[in-house]
Amino acid sequence: MRWIAAACVVGLIGLAGFWLLTMPRPLDAAAIANAQGDPEAGRLVYFAGGCASCHKTPDQDDPLHLGGGFALKTPFGTFVAPNLSPHADAGVGRWSLADFANAMQRGIAPDGRHYYPAFPYTSYQRMTATDIADLWAFILTLEPVETIAEGHDLGFPFNIRRGLGLWKQLYLDGKPFAPDPAATDVVDRGAYLVNGPGHCGECHTSRDAIGGPDPSRHLAGGPDPEGEGKIPNITPHADGIGAWSESEIAYSLESGFTPEFDSFGGTMAAVVRNMAQLPASDREAIAAYLKSVPPLADAN
Amino acid sequence: MNASCTICVAVAASAIIAATTVAVPAIAADDPAVLRQDMMKSVGAATGMSAAMVKGEAPFDARVAHLALRVMNASANGFGALFPEGSETGAETEAKAEIWSDRAGFDAAVAKFRDDTAAVLAPPPADLDAFKAAFGQVTQNCGSCHEKYRVKK
């Protein structure tokens, strides 16, 4: 009897610990913009952030028709992007800016549930409060779409959302973007775009066994977790894009063409459609930053 | 004709020779995976030369532009036939399985490349503005087809 009681107590303490460690931790109110966002500026944030790549309705070309439904196949199961249109029932029409900021930067739904990190909030947490508010203002100008996307298809234990609180303890540090005092403004702008809204590392940095990015492999590519093929190394190493000039990198983001005039394929084609919408100065900044990161050889 | 243009013509000429050669399997290597890779290299060379003119890095020359678009059109015409059943693997192919599982979609993508390259040749662009428009129309086929049917290895 005594042993059973002790086991119950230990179990309860364990449960309480799990509960505390996995609690959603929203943004401080001070980290959310209090001014109205500018939808015109938000349009650029939208394309810098690549929102359409996952949230646009598949098999149609309008990047602003956000019905969701894109399936991202991963080793953990299949994630399905939800409706991001301002539809009151199917999309985000009832959300506040604070709801949106917490989704983008803390991976928390308005009802407090954790989002899976297939939604790249570990990158978006670096975005400025102004960019988040501008993006939100832009999304509210888009056409409401009625489609309700299907749910994710995940096996145990990945289907237990609460457990994501533990994952976030490891990989969501909550830090905003910090410019490098030694870098030029152009390189800093590129660093912000690559590591914040552009979320380049979500594919180009390889992940560990539980799906966290490996900082020692920053932007060095690796096997494609979605299936066959590989994600290119985009560090300035001979294995990566060391031979590319800054203007070749910037042109590749605008046109999809490598210096040899091969054409990007796969999911990078959608990235190019987004990057082509940015001002040339932003593509040049990304190029300048990519030339400045530590060169890393391909992993064997 | 200045030096850069002479180079352009030389590149284009070799590209079109390559395209013509690989389009006749009887006198070339008979592995379709190798042939289609060579064909894409011809398209890449034609695209690179075209992009240089569009970006103002090389002077516009209507004959070079015509040649580049002809290379693309010639490649598009023979391209679909180079993906027979049985050529899904080998020669480090980057062809995606969807080419065979979604054959109708792939054929439609190749037909669109063929039609777009044919449309901009009737008549061939006479000035840089017309060539820029033609270049935009034909090269959007590159990314949209690679998006679905090519896997990078």
Side-chain angles (χ1 to χ4, degrees), chain A residues 122-141:
Chain A
T122 48
S123 294
Y124 293 157
Q125 65 174 330
R126 314 281 181 231
M127 292 172 69
T128 64
T130 309
D131 273 359
I132 296 286
D134 290 347
L135 174 57
W136 178 237
F138 177 69
I139 287 174
L140 290 179
T141 68

Side-chain angles (χ1 to χ4, degrees), chain A residues 189-203:
Chain A
R189 172 69 181 161
Y192 175 73
L193 288 167
V194 166
N195 298 313
H199 67 279
C200 309
E202 300 284 340
C203 287

Side-chain angles (χ1 to χ4, degrees), chain A residues 229-230 257 261-263 265-266 273, chain B residues 44 48 51 142-143 146-147 150 152:
Chain A
K230 66 171 271 201
F257 291 123
F261 285 88
D262 190 353
S263 178
R273 285 194 291 273
Chain B
C142 310
H146 282 190
E147 183 171 21
R150 203 272 290 268
K152 193 70 190 157

Side-chain angles (χ1 to χ4, degrees), chain B residues 8-25:
Chain B
C8 286
V9 172
V11 170
S14 51
I16 207 163
I17 288 163
T20 320
T21 310
V22 298
V24 185

Side-chain angles (χ1 to χ4, degrees), chain A residues 41-118:
Chain A
R43 185 178 187 283
L44 289 183
V45 181
Y46 178 83
F47 286 108
C51 313
S53 299
C54 285
H55 291 283
K56 88 170 174 75
T57 302
D59 298 322
Q60 56 88 45
D61 291 334
D62 183 357
L64 304 180
H65 188 89
L66 299 181
F70 172 80
L72 181 71
K73 295 185 183 71
T74 77
F76 307 101
T78 298
F79 297 98
V80 180
N83 183 319
L84 180 61
S85 81
H87 191 281
D89 301 315
V92 296
R94 293 186 210 276
W95 290 23
S96 66
L97 170 61
D99 289 336
F100 182 66
N102 274 304
M104 288 284 291
Q105 304 198 281
R106 291 296 179 271
I108 303 169
D111 65 6
R113 281 177 313 147
H114 293 300
Y115 285 125
Y116 288 95

